[in-house]
Amino acid sequence: LVTMDGGKIVGKTYFISDLHVGHKNILAFDNRPFRTIEEHDETLINNWNSVICEDDEVWILGDFSWYGPEKTIEIFSRLNGAKNLCIGNHDHKLLKDKRIHNLFNEVCDYKELRIDGYNLVLCHYPIPCYRDHFYGWVHFYGHVHISFEWNMMERMQYEMTTLYGKQCDMINVGCMMPYMGYKPRTAKEILEGYKGYKELLYA
């Protein structure tokens, strides 16, 4: 896309993890508020397109689809914007199909990204001692959902910041997290939403 004067329109960058479209068991596992997987998938698609424009890009931090290639391609063709993937543990089989791989501009296991004034470490898996966490870098991850493993990561972060006085900003961007609301979010939205969630939780 270009502006009236011929300049390129620069969209926003968003993040989300663990969409799990087509995964019926995830409804109970995460206590996702949908009656059927079809309702779940349609809500994710509608939510995505309500915030993502064609010139935006989204980093999906793994575990994007439980469907086969054809249904996955059908769903992803309905999603606005450019898509990038940090590979999740459930993505490898689908990515063997070149058509699935080509749904994404970039596919990687790990990404360091400097954008919107933030230095970010992106990975499907949580990395408690990620690069430069003492110096203001932020880590977005998925994989652990709302589980005891997420509680472990939260506890580790608490100990790092409270007991040792060292900065450690690592945030679960799974779509099911309350501050994500089944929508892709910008880095600023995630940081502010997570902070508000923690303040409310411990008020």
Side-chain angles (χ1 to χ4, degrees):
L1 295 178
V2 295
T3 61
M4 293 293 289
D5 62 1
K8 187 178 186 300
I9 296 175
V10 179
K12 296 180 179 179
T13 300
Y14 294 79
F15 307 89
I16 195 166
S17 185
D18 296 280
L19 297 171
H20 285 258
V21 296
H23 188 186
K24 293 180 181 179
N25 290 341
I26 208 66
L27 301 182
F29 183 81
D30 283 337
N31 195 26
R32 299 192 182 192
F34 308 102
R35 291 170 296 175
T36 65
I37 195 61
E38 291 77 17
E39 179 188 351
H40 169 269
D41 295 348
E42 284 300 314
T43 300
L44 287 177
I45 293 168
N46 292 334
N47 284 356
W48 180 294
N49 290 334
S50 72
V51 297
I52 304 301
C53 299
E54 286 302 328
D55 55 317
D56 294 329
E57 69 171 351
V58 183
W59 277 91
I60 302 172
L61 304 190
D63 291 3
F64 58 93
S65 178
W66 235 248
Y67 290 119
E70 301 298 337
K71 183 68 173 179
T72 298
I73 292 168
E74 175 191 328
I75 287 178
F76 271 68
S77 70
R78 296 173 60 190
L79 299 177
N80 293 339
K83 304 159 195 73
N84 304 291
L85 177 69
C86 282
I87 301 170
N89 53 302
H90 294 295
D91 297 334
H92 294 281
K93 183 177 180 181
L94 269 177
L95 287 171
K96 290 179 181 178
D97 190 312
K98 187 175 181 180
R99 296 172 301 164
I100 298 296
H101 203 282
N102 290 340
L103 291 173
F104 305 99
N105 283 357
E106 183 172 351
V107 176
C108 57
D109 291 304
Y110 172 96
K111 182 73 174 180
E112 293 177 1
L113 190 65
R114 293 174 174 86
I115 193 164
D116 297 333
Y118 299 102
N119 294 321
L120 304 174
V121 171
L122 310 179
C123 188
H124 178 64
Y125 307 99
I127 309 169
C129 297
Y130 60 92
R131 175 183 174 179
D132 284 342
H133 66 88
F134 291 174
Y135 306 108
W137 283 56
V138 179
H139 174 32
F140 291 161
Y141 66 91
H143 185 59
V144 296
H145 297 249
I146 302 177
S147 69
F148 78 93
E149 290 176 307
W150 176 59
N151 289 331
M152 287 170 57
M153 294 303 103
E154 289 287 289
R155 179 67 186 180
M156 194 171 297
Q157 181 174 219
Y158 170 81
E159 291 182 356
M160 186 83 72
T161 57
T162 304
L163 300 184
Y164 298 102
K166 300 294 185 180
Q167 188 170 359
C168 182
D169 296 315
M170 50 185 296
I171 304 176
N172 182 353
V173 299
C175 67
M176 78 299 298
M177 303 307 294
Y179 45 86
M180 296 299 295
Y182 299 95
K183 290 182 180 181
R185 305 285 186 180
T186 65
K188 184 175 186 287
E189 289 171 338
I190 291 168
L191 284 159
E192 290 179 352
Y194 177 72
K195 180 181 178 183
Y197 169 74
K198 297 292 283 189
E199 288 174 350
L200 185 64
L201 190 64
Y202 296 114

